[in-house]
Amino acid sequence: MTKEQKSVGLPQSVKLIIGAGGIYAAFLYYGTLQEDVFHFKSSTGEKFKDAWFLQAFEALANVIIGGIGLLLTGGTKNLPQDMFALSGATQVCAKAFTSLALANGVSFPVVTLSKSGKMVPVMIGSLLLGGARYTLREYAAVLAIIIGTCIVSMGGKKKAGPASSVLGIVFIFLSLSCDGITGGVQKRLKSKSQALGVKPKPYDFMFWTNLYMGITAAIIALFLGEFTTGFKFVTENPELLSKVLKFGLCSAIGQSFIFYTISHFDPLVCSTVTTTRKVFSVLLSIFINGHPVNAEGWFGIGLASAGILSELQDKSSGGEHKKEEKKDEKKKE
């Protein structure tokens, strides 16, 4: 690619604003819907627990939107399908395990707190599987975001909730492990694409990843019998069905922006945005429920915001660790 070709298009900072803004808007509502789905009780007192059925439906919504996007923008040939399949499988497992944690008694604040550590396994996975390098500044920014997110997540909670189940906590650890693997796989996917001389477009990422996510979730849902029980439960409860449909739509819109971001930036950028979105999800929940944010909570917001600005400023300017990788490659040559 020539310098003239590189200059064509939107600046990196504008791309980052589009990606991050879209993710925040769609997934703020997505978070409230997810909580509503797993807190819903039928007239008989039953709760919805068919997480794999929900993930299969969510993936289907994303495949439809991604397919439309491919038709409009044109797909890319000779993509590394094996890496897309692995990325899709690990991502849907991470999402399903998070839902299963909620379904098995772990409260929304605890899940939010735990998942705020998502960037740590992503960094580890990218270092081990993707060959990435990160600067001290990036490590400090991630630490600030995690600590700030934890403070905000727990600071607004006035009363202690029910004890989380052991199985629910296990699902959180499984979800975080899958997040770490996904981060490394995404780096390998981009490296393999470069080796093949192809560059996946945003809707390539969205369609193929969600296709494999849907296949994985559908196989597991069929094996567990969740298609029958899940479909029956949502059709018998129109209020829940409405929430599930909106949940899938928000996911499709949000993931359009996620894969747009992944296609232009390092996986850590996307992880940074999606993790800090949880801060605002907690604040939105506090606002809706009328809970005031105390001084500790505002301190957490400030700390997390400082980390966000530092991380995103570094990434929007190209990232120092990428420069270090290029220097190392030149030395090897």
Side-chain angles (χ1 to χ4, degrees):
M1 186 178 283
T2 63
K3 290 183 179 178
E4 290 181 0
Q5 287 175 313
K6 286 184 179 179
S7 65
V8 177
L10 296 172
Q12 289 293 89
S13 57
V14 175
K15 290 179 181 178
L16 190 59
I17 291 171
I18 292 172
I23 291 169
Y24 280 134
F27 282 107
L28 279 175
Y29 190 35
Y30 173 95
T32 63
L33 288 168
Q34 184 181 33
E35 188 174 6
D36 289 344
V37 166
F38 287 100
H39 283 177
F40 178 85
K41 285 186 179 181
S42 66
S43 57
T44 59
E46 291 182 271
K47 297 182 71 174
F48 180 79
K49 291 190 174 183
D50 299 307
W52 292 104
F53 166 79
L54 183 66
Q55 293 308 143
F57 173 77
E58 182 182 350
L60 175 62
N62 281 280
V63 167
I64 293 172
I65 299 298
I68 294 172
L70 280 184
L71 289 174
L72 294 175
T73 62
T76 305
K77 296 181 179 179
N78 303 318
L79 293 172
Q81 294 295 334
D82 57 337
M83 300 307 298
F84 272 102
L86 183 57
S87 177
T90 56
Q91 283 187 63
V92 76
C93 286
K95 291 172 73 67
F97 289 143
T98 298
S99 294
L100 285 167
L102 287 169
N104 282 275
V106 182
S107 67
F108 181 74
V110 172
V111 170
T112 303
L113 170 65
S114 302
K115 291 291 285 183
S116 67
K118 175 180 179 179
M119 287 180 291
V120 174
V122 167
M123 275 186 130
I124 294 172
S126 295
L127 287 166
L128 297 178
L129 301 177
R133 280 189 170 186
Y134 298 103
T135 64
L136 181 60
R137 174 182 172 178
E138 288 174 304
Y139 286 119
V142 168
L143 184 62
I145 293 167
I146 292 171
I147 294 174
T149 303
C150 292
I151 292 172
V152 176
S153 297
M154 301 306 290
K157 190 176 181 184
K158 299 292 184 180
K159 298 179 181 179
S164 299
S165 70
V166 174
L167 183 59
I169 298 299
V170 170
F171 280 129
I172 288 177
F173 278 109
L174 288 173
S175 179
L176 288 170
S177 297
C178 289
D179 285 332
I181 296 171
T182 299
V185 170
Q186 287 175 344
K187 271 194 167 292
R188 289 179 62 183
L189 190 157
K190 294 185 79 170
S191 297
K192 192 168 183 179
S193 296
Q194 290 176 355
L196 293 172
V198 295
K199 184 177 181 180
K201 299 175 183 177
Y203 285 108
D204 288 318
F205 277 104
M206 183 173 183
F207 177 81
W208 291 110
T209 302
N210 278 282
L211 177 63
Y212 292 115
M213 287 175 73
I215 291 172
T216 302
I219 291 172
I220 296 174
L222 281 170
F223 179 76
L224 297 175
E226 289 192 7
F227 268 118
T228 303
T229 57
F231 182 78
K232 181 181 179 182
F233 194 86
V234 297
T235 52
E236 289 179 349
N237 296 277
E239 183 183 347
L240 178 63
L241 177 59
S242 174
K243 293 180 184 297
V244 168
L245 291 174
K246 291 176 183 177
F247 179 80
L249 180 61
C250 282
S251 176
I253 294 172
Q255 284 203 38
S256 294
F257 288 104
I258 280 181
F259 289 108
Y260 173 86
T261 304
I262 289 174
S263 68
H264 290 290
F265 300 96
D266 185 275
L268 186 61
V269 174
C270 187
S271 182
T272 299
V273 175
T274 55
T275 297
T276 52
R277 183 271 304 173
K278 293 179 177 63
V279 176
F280 299 104
S281 289
V282 171
L283 290 177
L284 181 62
S285 179
I286 291 171
F287 175 76
I288 290 174
N289 293 312
H291 300 299
V293 178
N294 55 26
E296 182 183 352
W298 285 118
F299 173 75
I301 293 172
L303 183 61
S305 297
I308 295 168
L309 292 174
S310 177
E311 176 63 26
L312 299 188
Q313 190 280 328
D314 180 66
K315 292 297 182 181
S316 65
S317 62
E320 293 179 20
H321 75 276
K322 290 183 180 179
K323 294 177 183 178
E324 290 181 6
E325 287 178 352
K326 289 180 181 179
K327 287 180 181 179
D328 288 343
E329 287 175 3
K330 289 181 180 179
K331 287 180 182 178
K332 289 178 182 179
E333 292 174 359

